[in-house]
Amino acid sequence: MTTDTPARLLTLLSLLQTPREWPGGELADRLGVSRRTVRRDIDRLRELGYPVQATMGADGGYRLVAGKAMPPLVLDDEEAVAIAVGLRAGAGHAVEGLDEASVRALAKLEQVLPSRLRHRVTTLQSATTPLTSGDGASIAPETLTVMASTVAGHERLRFAYCAADGSETRRVTEPYRLVSTGRRWYLVAYDLDRDDWRTFRVDRVSEPFATGARFAPRELPTGDAAEYLRRSMQRRHDSYGITVVFHAPAEAVAPLLPHWMGTPEPVDGCTSCVVRATVSGPVEWTAARLATTGLEFRVREPAELVECVRELGARLGRAAGSG
C-alpha cells in the first residue's frame, strides 16, 4: 500500500492524464489503496485545480476533462523523452507552423528534465538523421532554447554573429522575439552597440549566452515582430509586385501558398482566383514557389517573372524529353 500521499497523488494524476475513463476499483488496485482513499485523493486533486469528472455506475469511473486553465502536466520518463525529442527535431529544422511558443515549451521542458533523461534525449537525437525538405539551414536546438529563455525573461543576450559577407562580430542585444518564416528562424532584437533594432538569422548565430542582466522591453517601431522582419527583408532586397491568376478556387489555393504571398481573391464565379502581393528576393525563387503548388496558373506581372516562368517551363520540358 502506498502511504506517501504526494507520491500517490502524482501517480494518480499521471494515470488520469491518459485519455480514458478509469474505474475506481482499477485505480485502487494500481495505487494499492482502498476505493475510499481514491475518492479522497480525487477530492484533493480537484482542490488543486484539476477538473476530474466522476461517472455513476456500479464501479464508478473517473477521467480528467478540459478546464478553464491548464494545470501542470505529469509525464513519465518515456513521455518526457518523446516530447523533448520531437520538439528538438522540429525546432532545429524550422518547420513551418512551429512558432516561438513551441521553442518556449522546449526550453521549459529541458530546464526541468533530470540529467539521466537529458542524456537519453541527446543520445537519441545524435543517433538519428531526419529526412527534411526545403533549404532552411539546420539550427542547434540549444541555440533556440537559450534565445527563447532570454526573450521570455527580458534578459540581455550575447552571441557571435557571422554576416552574409563572412564578417564576424560580437553582439550584445535586448532580444524581443523569435520569428519563423517556415524555412529559417530570425531573432528580432535591439542591438546595444549600434543603438538600433536589428534582425539576425539564427543559423548564423554561435555561442549564445544569457548574461543575466535584466532590461525593460523597448517599443518595437512596427509593434509586431513579424511585420518588422518583413520590412527589414524588403529593405535588403529589391521588392516587386506580382499578379498571378490560378485556375482553381481560392479555398483550394490558399493552403498551398506561403503567408507572404497574401490571400487569394476569387474571380470568374469563384472557379479561379488572383494573388496580388509584394515580394522580395530572386524572381527564380518566386517562380519555383508558384510551380510547387501543382496547380495551373498564369503570371500577369511583372514581366521579369513572366519570362522566368517561361524559361523554367522550357527547361523542365527539355529535362523530361531527355529521358
Side-chain angles (χ1 to χ4, degrees):
M1 179 176 178
T2 304
T3 57
D4 187 345
T5 301
R8 189 175 66 245
L9 286 175
L10 288 175
T11 303
L12 174 60
L13 182 57
S14 179
L15 293 172
L16 291 174
Q17 286 178 340
T18 303
R20 56 160 290 191
E21 184 172 298
W22 290 88
E26 187 174 348
L27 288 176
D29 292 340
R30 286 287 194 111
L31 299 173
V33 297
S34 66
R35 297 188 185 185
R36 182 179 179 183
T37 299
V38 169
R39 289 194 294 269
R40 287 202 304 264
D41 287 347
I42 292 292
D43 289 337
R44 291 189 181 100
L45 290 179
R46 288 169 175 161
E47 292 172 0
L48 293 172
Y50 291 89
V52 182
Q53 184 182 73
T55 57
M56 304 300 293
D59 197 26
Y62 303 95
R63 66 184 308 164
L64 198 64
V65 298
K68 295 182 179 179
M70 188 181 114
L73 294 174
V74 176
L75 304 172
D76 61 30
D77 286 4
E78 286 69 25
E79 293 166 342
V81 169
I83 292 174
V85 169
L87 287 172
R88 289 187 67 170
H93 292 276
V95 177
E96 189 167 2
L98 184 70
D99 58 14
E100 186 189 343
S102 298
V103 181
R104 291 201 310 270
L106 175 59
K108 291 178 181 178
L109 181 59
E110 292 202 334
Q111 182 178 1
V112 298
L113 279 180
S115 58
R116 70 180 191 281
L117 298 187
R118 206 174 299 122
H119 175 71
R120 286 176 59 183
V121 171
T122 302
T123 301
L124 183 56
Q125 186 85 10
S126 62
T128 58
T129 300
L131 179 63
T132 58
S133 59
D135 59 354
S138 230
I139 303 170
E142 293 81 4
T143 298
L144 284 172
T145 54
V146 170
M147 288 184 168
S149 64
T150 57
V151 168
H154 306 311
E155 186 177 350
R156 288 180 177 173
L157 175 70
R158 187 171 67 236
F159 55 84
Y161 192 70
C162 180
D165 61 4
S167 60
E168 297 185 358
T169 55
R170 307 288 301 187
R171 306 295 183 100
V172 179
T173 65
E174 294 178 354
Y176 184 81
R177 286 289 187 277
L178 281 166
V179 182
S180 171
T181 65
R183 295 188 303 134
R184 294 190 177 97
W185 283 97
Y186 290 84
L187 173 70
V188 176
Y190 191 85
D191 192 316
L192 294 175
D193 293 330
R194 288 150 184 80
D195 196 23
D196 198 5
W197 290 94
R198 291 288 190 271
T199 60
F200 303 94
R201 267 181 50 174
V202 177
D203 58 292
R204 293 177 178 166
V205 169
S206 60
E207 304 173 47
F209 178 74
T211 65
R214 306 288 177 177
F215 64 89
R218 302 170 190 261
E219 184 176 351
L220 191 66
T222 61
D224 178 77
E227 176 63 17
Y228 182 84
L229 175 63
R230 186 185 68 81
R231 295 184 185 182
S232 175
M233 294 177 72
Q234 285 184 351
R235 288 195 299 269
R236 295 176 193 170
H237 305 283
D238 291 335
S239 59
Y240 51 93
I242 65 170
T243 302
V244 182
V245 176
F246 281 89
H247 304 299
E251 58 269 21
V253 175
L256 303 176
L257 294 178
H259 63 84
W260 46 267
M261 281 192 180
T263 303
E265 303 171 9
V267 295
D268 297 336
C270 298
T271 59
S272 299
C273 64
V274 61
V275 174
R276 297 183 179 90
T278 300
V279 301
S280 59
V283 291
E284 291 81 5
W285 167 248
T286 303
R289 191 62 185 83
L290 291 169
T292 57
T293 62
L295 300 174
E296 295 290 330
F297 66 91
R298 179 176 294 276
V299 179
R300 289 183 177 174
E301 59 179 356
E304 294 83 358
L305 182 57
V306 173
E307 183 61 26
C308 184
V309 169
R310 183 179 294 115
E311 292 179 357
L312 176 62
R315 190 179 309 122
L316 292 177
R318 291 193 299 271
S322 66

